[in-house]
Amino acid sequence: MVALTGIAYASFGWAGKLILKLYPGLVEDIKASGIRIYPEAYASLVAMLTFLGFGLGFALGVPAYLLPRLGFLPMLHPSLALLVPLLSMVGLPLFLFLASIMYPKMKSFTRTSKLDLEIPYLAVYISVMATGGISPYVSMERLARAPKFLFDELRKEAMKFYVRIRALGEDPLTAIEESAKEVPNRQYKELMLGYASTLRIGGDVIHFLHRQTEMMLKERVSQVKAVAERIATLMEGYMAIVILTSLTIYTLFVVNMALAQAGFALGGSEIQFVVFAYILMPMLSGLFIYLADLMQPSYPVYDTMPYKVYFGVSLPLTIALILGMCLPFMLPPGTPASVMLSKAFSPTVAFVESIVKKANLPGGFEAGIGLCIAFMVGLIPSILAHIRSTIVHSGVQHGVTLFLRDLVEVRKTGLPPEKCIMNLSGRDYGRFTKHLREIARQVGWGVPLSRIYERFARKTKNWLALITMYLLVDSIEVGGGTPETLETLATYAETLESLERDKKRMLRPLLLIPYIGAIIIVVVVLVLVGFMNQIMTLAHMTIGTKTMVSIFLPPVIINSYLMGLTAGKISSERVSAGFIHAFLLVLASLAAMLLTPHIVRSLMIPVSL
């Protein structure tokens, strides 16, 4: 990377200066993002990537335009004949330019969100240390040796602070003030600069740190409450956009395709439908997952096992099942690919056909039924991994919160913290109980608390529980951990847990919308296909209802699957929570497919599939 930047600066330095004149905010974005690179050098790298994009775009676009016209490649659809070369020659360099220009800003935003999450705990940590007689600049030096998974961004700043004092010989107060100026966070500036000024005028430093910590924790609680409200709005917006857009576009395409088969096309094509159903709609769900990730607190420690199971087991299994249970019915009958897949996966093909026959469904439903089964079977391993992860790790934070409150009360009696831990080990704190009993045994054996914490951290994948226990362990090691400081930490932990429960209660009614929307979309598409068939029959014309159903059902099922993943991310901050919702939404779509034709017939609506 360094060599590439040097080449860019030497070759495109003139273009880098021009970019900085056009985008003067790029300098501040680079500083705020923590990227250690000279601004003109980075701007030169942007220019070089853009020029390389132009070269690569022309190298791909010109052959894509000329070769079909010279007969070396088959001609593309007229709507794509110019689109592909244009995207190559213009879209690629434009994308590289915008992506490289926006990268520092996005990295700055990510860094700011991490700082917002970590700084309230930094204030708690410094207050706890100050109560035990440790000054904040010594606390910062200790923080430089803290585990990386606890304080990611602040640990980097603490290491810079350590270098300033130990290597460069700066005054600790000067180093604190310089650190406050470099970190793009208002709370960090107020904490550090306030401490420096209080110490210079001879004020009560401990009182200032306690007050500042309480204010930060209250502000953090307000931020969490605001996030819950924004997430509820995001959920409503996503459901409204997806459901209304799907209903509108599917209706237009069903009507257009039916009329096209009867010789009355209104415009549009299957290519446009494929782009909408298989590209635009999944991209829309991905966009909302990304927005939810930006809005929600991103904890650096979480259990990755559900995602490993999903990508290592569920996704390959799903793809294999789609090849055998869905794709043979989506391809035009009689084509070599369709015949080959039908022979290669004859057992699964026969299984899907038997289900359609037993359910008394007309032809065309095979692709949708097979895709539903493939998705549901493929999701089972991931769902089991997510449930196990939730049971093992999610309950630990609740137990830590209860333990911390009891610890505060027992600590007020004057018992030392070690005795308090041993006395509380007999109580029940849910999933945290086994960890607490192991900690109490090791305390009784005289094992150092730092080593005890390392063992606890290896077994726990909950960041809030880990950082709470780290503050407790460090406060005991330095002789602090007064009831007042622990009271503040316990109150914050209880408030945060209460807010999480309130957020789940707020979002729970909204989770009904995806299920209703998925069922409505399936029902509307099937009824509309049948309705168009009835109209054409009355006009003594026929349409291929089997072909239309096999075309429109699979993207509807894929949309339901993605809606489940997005709903899980928005409601529970983890995409893995969407595995269950995706399974249930696909199941609801399957039920709608099985019941819709029978309901229509029972109501004697003049519609036939």
Side-chain angles (χ1 to χ4, degrees):
M1 182 64 182
V2 176
L4 183 62
T5 305
I7 295 172
Y9 187 55
S11 304
F12 296 91
W14 58 273
K17 293 178 181 179
L18 179 61
I19 290 175
L20 289 180
K21 289 182 180 179
L22 294 175
Y23 298 94
L26 183 61
V27 177
E28 294 300 323
D29 291 338
I30 292 173
K31 291 181 179 179
S33 64
I35 300 175
R36 308 188 69 176
I37 187 173
Y38 185 51
E40 284 193 12
Y42 184 83
S44 302
L45 182 62
V46 172
M48 187 180 75
L49 290 176
T50 305
F51 276 97
L52 289 176
F54 272 115
L56 183 60
F58 274 94
L60 296 175
V62 172
Y65 180 79
L66 294 178
L67 291 179
R69 285 160 177 77
L70 296 176
F72 294 101
L73 290 176
M75 287 293 293
L76 297 173
H77 191 273
S79 60
L80 298 178
L82 291 176
L83 181 61
V84 172
L86 189 64
L87 285 177
S88 299
M89 292 184 285
V90 178
L92 181 60
L94 182 61
F95 170 77
L96 290 175
F97 177 77
L98 293 177
S100 54
I101 282 288
M102 294 300 296
Y103 174 72
K105 184 177 288 294
M106 299 304 298
K107 189 172 178 60
S108 172
F109 184 85
T110 303
R111 187 184 181 208
T112 301
S113 63
K114 288 183 179 180
L115 289 171
D116 289 338
L117 178 66
E118 295 174 6
I119 283 175
Y121 287 98
L122 171 68
V124 174
Y125 181 73
I126 291 178
S127 298
V128 170
M129 296 297 105
T131 305
I134 304 299
S135 61
Y137 62 85
V138 176
S139 299
M140 291 293 289
E141 291 183 352
R142 290 178 62 88
L143 189 63
R145 299 188 293 270
K148 184 180 180 180
F149 57 80
L150 289 181
F151 296 98
D152 187 15
E153 291 296 327
L154 287 177
R155 187 172 175 271
K156 299 175 185 176
E157 297 302 322
M159 293 178 72
K160 295 178 186 177
F161 181 84
Y162 183 83
V163 170
R164 278 197 178 102
I165 295 177
R166 298 297 182 182
L168 303 179
E170 286 189 8
D171 180 337
L173 285 181
T174 303
I176 286 177
E177 292 172 341
E178 291 298 321
S179 176
K181 294 176 183 178
E182 292 181 359
V183 176
N185 186 278
R186 176 185 56 82
Q187 291 181 330
Y188 186 81
K189 287 182 171 65
E190 292 177 356
L191 178 65
M192 293 303 179
L193 295 178
Y195 164 74
S197 61
T198 303
L199 187 61
R200 289 185 189 278
I201 65 176
D204 189 348
V205 174
I206 295 179
H207 176 73
F208 165 78
L209 292 174
H210 279 296
R211 291 295 302 160
Q212 195 70 20
T213 299
E214 291 178 6
M215 292 173 59
M216 285 187 180
L217 295 180
K218 289 179 181 178
E219 187 171 346
R220 181 61 185 169
V221 168
S222 301
Q223 291 175 355
V224 172
K225 190 177 296 184
V227 166
E229 295 174 356
R230 289 197 297 267
I231 289 299
T233 304
L234 184 68
M235 184 76 164
E236 294 172 353
Y238 171 70
M239 289 298 112
I241 292 173
V242 170
I243 293 174
L244 293 179
T245 303
S246 299
L247 287 175
T248 303
I249 301 299
Y250 278 115
T251 301
L252 292 175
F253 275 111
V254 168
V255 173
N256 179 70
M257 190 171 294
L259 294 177
Q261 292 184 6
F264 302 101
L266 299 178
S269 65
E270 292 186 12
I271 296 294
Q272 294 173 341
F273 174 73
V274 169
V275 171
F276 166 77
Y278 292 99
I279 298 177
L280 293 183
M281 292 304 295
M283 287 178 62
L284 184 63
S285 297
L287 174 62
F288 273 89
I289 289 177
Y290 178 69
L291 292 176
D293 187 66
L294 291 180
M295 290 183 180
Q296 295 168 331
S298 180
Y299 298 120
V301 177
Y302 58 92
D303 188 13
T304 60
M305 183 54 65
Y307 302 103
K308 293 178 180 178
V309 173
Y310 179 76
F311 288 105
V313 179
S314 291
L315 201 56
L317 177 61
T318 301
I319 294 173
L321 291 175
I322 289 175
L323 291 176
M325 305 181 78
C326 177
L327 199 57
F329 303 104
M330 292 180 62
L331 296 174
T335 59
S338 176
V339 173
M340 182 183 66
L341 287 175
S342 299
K343 290 182 179 179
F345 299 98
S346 55
T348 55
V349 170
F351 174 71
V352 174
E353 290 175 342
S354 66
I355 292 178
V356 174
K357 185 176 180 180
K358 289 179 181 178
N360 195 23
L361 296 174
F365 280 76
E366 292 87 355
I369 299 292
L371 189 60
C372 287
I373 296 174
F375 277 147
M376 290 190 296
V377 173
L379 280 171
I380 290 175
S382 299
I383 291 173
L384 295 177
H386 170 71
I387 292 174
R388 180 188 177 280
S389 173
T390 302
I391 292 174
V392 173
H393 300 293
S394 295
V396 175
Q397 171 59 20
H398 178 64
V400 170
T401 303
L402 297 177
F403 164 72
L404 196 58
R405 169 55 58 192
D406 291 345
L407 181 64
V408 172
E409 301 303 323
V410 177
R411 184 77 174 87
K412 291 178 181 178
T413 63
L415 283 175
E418 293 85 354
K419 288 291 184 182
C420 296
I421 293 174
M422 297 176 68
N423 288 337
L424 293 173
S425 62
R427 300 187 184 181
D428 183 17
Y429 295 106
R431 297 292 173 184
F432 180 63
T433 303
K434 63 177 183 180
H435 298 290
L436 178 59
R437 290 174 180 171
E438 184 176 350
I439 291 171
R441 285 196 301 269
Q442 295 177 61
V443 168
W445 297 336
V447 179
L449 289 175
S450 58
R451 188 176 300 174
I452 295 175
Y453 178 79
E454 290 175 0
R455 294 177 181 174
F456 173 74
R458 285 195 294 266
K459 299 177 181 179
T460 306
K461 301 298 181 181
N462 187 297
W463 186 78
L464 293 175
L466 288 174
I467 198 167
T468 303
M469 292 300 295
Y470 180 78
L471 295 176
L472 178 62
V473 166
D474 240 26
S475 67
I476 296 173
E477 282 192 333
V478 300
T482 62
E484 292 79 11
T485 304
L486 295 178
E487 174 71 32
T488 303
L489 181 60
T491 302
Y492 175 65
E494 291 169 347
T495 306
L496 186 61
E497 188 173 352
S498 175
L499 284 174
E500 290 294 325
R501 288 197 299 267
D502 292 341
K503 185 177 72 171
K504 290 180 180 179
R505 282 195 293 267
M506 183 187 304
L507 294 175
R508 192 172 292 122
L510 297 176
L511 290 176
L512 293 175
I513 301 177
Y515 295 91
I516 298 173
I519 294 174
I520 288 176
I521 293 173
V522 172
V523 172
V524 167
V525 168
L526 293 177
V527 171
L528 192 59
V529 170
F531 180 68
M532 292 303 298
N533 181 42
Q534 183 69 26
I535 291 178
M536 294 301 155
T537 302
L538 294 176
H540 302 289
M541 299 178 180
T542 59
I543 62 174
T545 55
K546 179 178 179 179
T547 302
M548 292 181 64
V549 170
S550 64
I551 290 175
F552 285 106
L553 273 184
V556 170
I557 305 305
I558 294 174
N559 190 36
S560 299
Y561 182 85
L562 296 176
M563 284 170 61
L565 297 181
T566 309
K569 173 62 179 178
I570 293 176
S571 62
S572 303
E573 301 176 358
R574 293 181 299 172
V575 177
S576 61
F579 297 154
I580 298 176
H581 293 294
F583 181 91
L584 295 177
L585 279 169
V586 173
L587 180 62
S589 300
L590 177 62
M593 280 192 293
L594 295 174
L595 297 177
T596 298
H598 304 296
I599 294 175
V600 170
R601 295 191 192 100
S602 65
L603 295 175
M604 292 187 296
I605 297 176
V607 175
S608 64
L609 291 176

